[in-house]
Amino acid sequence: MEKLDQYAVFGNPIKHSKSPWIHAAFAEQTAQQMHYRSHKVELGRFAEAARQFFDNGGAGLNITVPFKLDAFEFADVLSDRARLAGAVNTLARAEDGSIYGDNTDGVGMVRDIHDNLGWTFPGKRILVLGAGGAVRGILGPLLKQQPASIVVANRTVEKAQALVEIFSARGEISACAFEHLAGQQFDLIINGTSASLSGDLPPLPRQIMSAEACCYDMMYGADPTPFMRWAASEMAWAVSDGLGMLVEQAAESFCIWRGIRPETKPVIEQLRHSL
């Protein structure tokens, strides 16, 4: 019996991961012979676990919290977007045995917003909330879409400013504290903070949206997040969570590994119904 190519997602915690289900759906849809599992890695043991996985013939890994920086250090070769993001969420073993590291989060979000939701980027004023690793991962792909400008707002403005310095050569981008957003208006607001997980909301002023503003939360859940509820109360033109981003970044990983791009819309719909 032919041995299936082995893939996995590494994280801690990992029980909540939808990745095994998503990649099983992709494999069935595209008739790919592969096996994908989730694996909880002990803190401080990432490099050891990843090396063992690849030494035993593993073909590729997805990386989730808190190991994306470890994966960045582990990779032998980095994509441009991984280097810019400063983090890796996809590892692939090349034919020569070297380990290639990529970051598919940003392109996954852009594809969800553009292809699935039908929102546009060029010429838009974009506000990104938060300045953590998740935000750093999306700024490069966002700037590639040629928005008029991006403002990164964060409680600690120094963290936002540090991101601006990394990306300033790639487009119009600036930083500010939440309290300095008053008087500005934006066409697209992206929540990259983890506030939704704790039922919290960044302190945003009223009348911050343009007439046709769209709001996107990188988090997702069975119910609308606090950010989504705020956006609806402020009469946003359109509102979405990040479930599509989850599937689209997985599809990009799948394409890196298997050389084929799966259809994402039916998988997003199935996942939505299962929440």
Side-chain angles (χ1 to χ4, degrees), residues 7-23:
Y7 298 89
V9 57
F10 279 13
N12 186 343
I14 199 66
K15 271 187 177 178
H16 67 284
S17 177
K18 309 289 186 192
S19 294
W21 185 91
I22 293 170
H23 284 281

Side-chain angles (χ1 to χ4, degrees), residues 30 48 86 88 139 166 170 172 175 204 224:
T30 58
E48 177 187 342
V88 159
L139 289 178
I166 294 168
R170 296 179 178 250
E172 183 63 37
L204 300 172

Side-chain angles (χ1 to χ4, degrees), residues 156-194:
T156 310
V157 74
E158 290 80 9
K159 284 188 74 176
Q161 191 58 50
L163 292 186
V164 167
E165 288 169 13
I166 294 168
F167 291 95
S168 58
R170 296 179 178 250
E172 183 63 37
I173 182 168
S174 60
C176 77
F178 289 128
E179 59 265 28
H180 295 147
L181 288 170
Q184 301 186 63
Q185 284 199 325
F186 299 93
D187 307 306
L188 172 60
I189 302 176
I190 298 170
N191 181 30
T193 73
S194 57

Side-chain angles (χ1 to χ4, degrees), residues 32-45:
Q32 296 294 296
Q33 300 301 308
M34 57 184 280
H35 181 258
Y36 189 110
R37 64 187 177 89
S38 61
H39 183 69
K40 182 180 178 181
V41 176
E42 295 306 315
L43 300 181
R45 306 286 293 273

